[in-house]
Amino acid sequence: MPTTPQTTIHHDHDTCVSGALTRAEALCASRGTKLTPIRRQVLELVWSGHRPRGAYAILDDMKVDGKRVAPLTVYRALDFLVENGLVHRLESLNAYIGCPSPDHAHPGQFLVCRDCGDAIELNDQRVSAAIADSARARGFQIDRPTVEVRGLCPVCQNRPHPSHSPADTERPEARQPVTRQKAES
Amino acid sequence: MPTTPQTTIHHDHDTCVSGALTRAEALCASRGTKLTPIRRQVLELVWSGHRPRGAYAILDDMKVDGKRVAPLTVYRALDFLVENGLVHRLESLNAYIGCPSPDHAHPGQFLVCRDCGDAIELNDQRVSAAIADSARARGFQIDRPTVEVRGLCPVCQNRPHPSHSPADTERPEARQPVTRQKAES
DNA sequence: CGCGGTGTTGTTATATGATTACATATCCCC
DNA sequence: GGGGATATGTAATCATATAACAACACCGCG
Ligand SMILES: [Zn+2]
Ligand SMILES: [Zn+2]
Ligand SMILES: [Zn+2]
Ligand SMILES: [Zn+2]
């Protein structure tokens, strides 16, 4: 049994995380930015669940030398990671998620499941183009478009109902259908 | 000099607010929902600046009988207003803004200026359609699409730079170019 | 080497945003 | 008038994010 078992679709998540870290190292090296130990650890913790994660959830796991770090430490690292495109911020969840393709600049477009909490990253050119057109028509200069679609992912559509679901045993991290959920525990 | 002078584009804002309140009254009456004094006051305060406003900013103005109300009072009213489409919540700002056309259901699409803080509401069918297609292609069932575009509005593009701007005297509510701004004071 | 600038981290406190749990009041229908 | 649904009051607490300031580390340069 692997050490980090919490993802929706089965895959070799340990490899998945180490890959993300390796790519991040390479990217920072090529750009002359510094992926310090703290930043690296935060990035690893963002990836750990392969789903959106809140800053304080990361903070809880951030023991450095057995000592709990300050919130600012985590936020500063997250700012760096977001600025460098290694992590996206999900505005509607106040949460962060690792970007699988940080090498090319892109805004985040996400399908966020209200049940399992997973966030699927899209990169739909039609959506981007439609937004760009609409903004241009009004003379608005875009910094960063945000597209976050809340709903129900295909997997969760096929489960009877989250709160009564017998699948809780095999997917213990399932979210309750609350109004405004947290990204994680 | 009017009592509520803080908007970007000059217009008769007092009429603008009273119009929104009248429409809200009519809409609630037709639906059988109740626009209570508290809800009405919160709606008025949401509209007061004609721009996104945080819950606690509203709270600060919410003296009822000279007494400060509890946060929950404001949040409950905001929940009602959002559910009834009278107000939109801006996820990227944790703020609320009045909807100019609450009569027909629609998700909010916004162009949010990073300088003046104004939010222009769009309703672009191409954007909606592109998002719907993209979600359908992945079997994702949409609850609520969120589109919030951060950038610079036409007015602010023509001012030299927010922090050095001489226009501060005529637009005292201008925002600083900070990383993650508040909706209001 | 030693200096000074830039960038990173530490520490403490606080602002802002949102919810839980429970009690009380009010309205409307019967 | 009883009784259920809706609305508000009160207190405490949780969650998210930033401010202000100090210390340290790295790096290029004289
Ligand atoms: Zn993974
Ligand atoms: Zn991405
Ligand atoms: Zn107005
Ligand atoms: Zn609207």
Side-chain angles (χ1 to χ4, degrees), chain B residues 122-168:
Chain B
L122 305 179
N123 220 314
D124 190 307
Q125 287 309 116
R126 282 187 53 215
V127 172
S128 300
I131 290 173
D133 284 355
S134 205
R136 193 179 315 114
R138 307 200 173 220
F140 189 92
Q141 177 188 313
I142 296 180
D143 283 351
R144 180 172 51 79
T146 297
V147 177
E148 294 174 18
V149 182
R150 183 188 180 80
L152 210 50
C153 78
V155 176
C156 292
Q157 285 171 41
N158 296 328
R159 279 187 297 148
H161 192 282
S163 51
H164 316 129
S165 171
D168 275 350

Side-chain angles (χ1 to χ4, degrees), chain B residues 55-87:
Chain B
Y56 276 65
I58 292 163
L59 179 62
D60 287 339
D61 291 347
M62 261 297 282
K63 307 277 163 39
V64 166
D65 305 336
K67 290 168 51 180
R68 181 184 176 80
V69 303
L72 194 50
T73 304
V74 171
Y75 278 106
R76 286 198 277 226
L78 286 171
D79 284 349
F80 172 87
L81 297 171
V82 169
E83 270 166 24
N84 284 271
L86 297 164
V87 161

Side-chain angles (χ1 to χ4, degrees), chain A residues 6 14 16 18 20 22 24 32 34 45 68 71 75 77 82 136 156 185:
Chain A
Q6 35 176 321
D14 290 338
C16 163
S18 63
T22 304
K34 283 182 275 193
L45 290 171
R68 179 183 179 82
Y75 278 105
V82 168
R136 193 178 316 115
C156 292
S185 60

Side-chain angles (χ1 to χ4, degrees), chain A residues 132-149:
Chain A
D133 284 355
S134 206
R136 193 178 316 115
R138 306 197 174 224
F140 189 90
Q141 176 188 313
I142 296 180
D143 283 351
R144 180 173 51 78
T146 296
V147 176
E148 295 174 19
V149 183

Side-chain angles (χ1 to χ4, degrees), chain A residues 57-88:
Chain A
I58 291 162
L59 178 63
D60 287 339
D61 291 347
M62 262 298 283
K63 307 278 161 42
V64 166
D65 305 335
K67 291 168 51 179
R68 179 183 179 82
V69 303
L72 244 196
T73 305
V74 171
Y75 278 105
R76 286 198 277 226
L78 287 171
D79 284 349
F80 172 88
L81 296 170
V82 168
E83 272 166 23
N84 284 271
L86 297 164
V87 161
H88 294 287

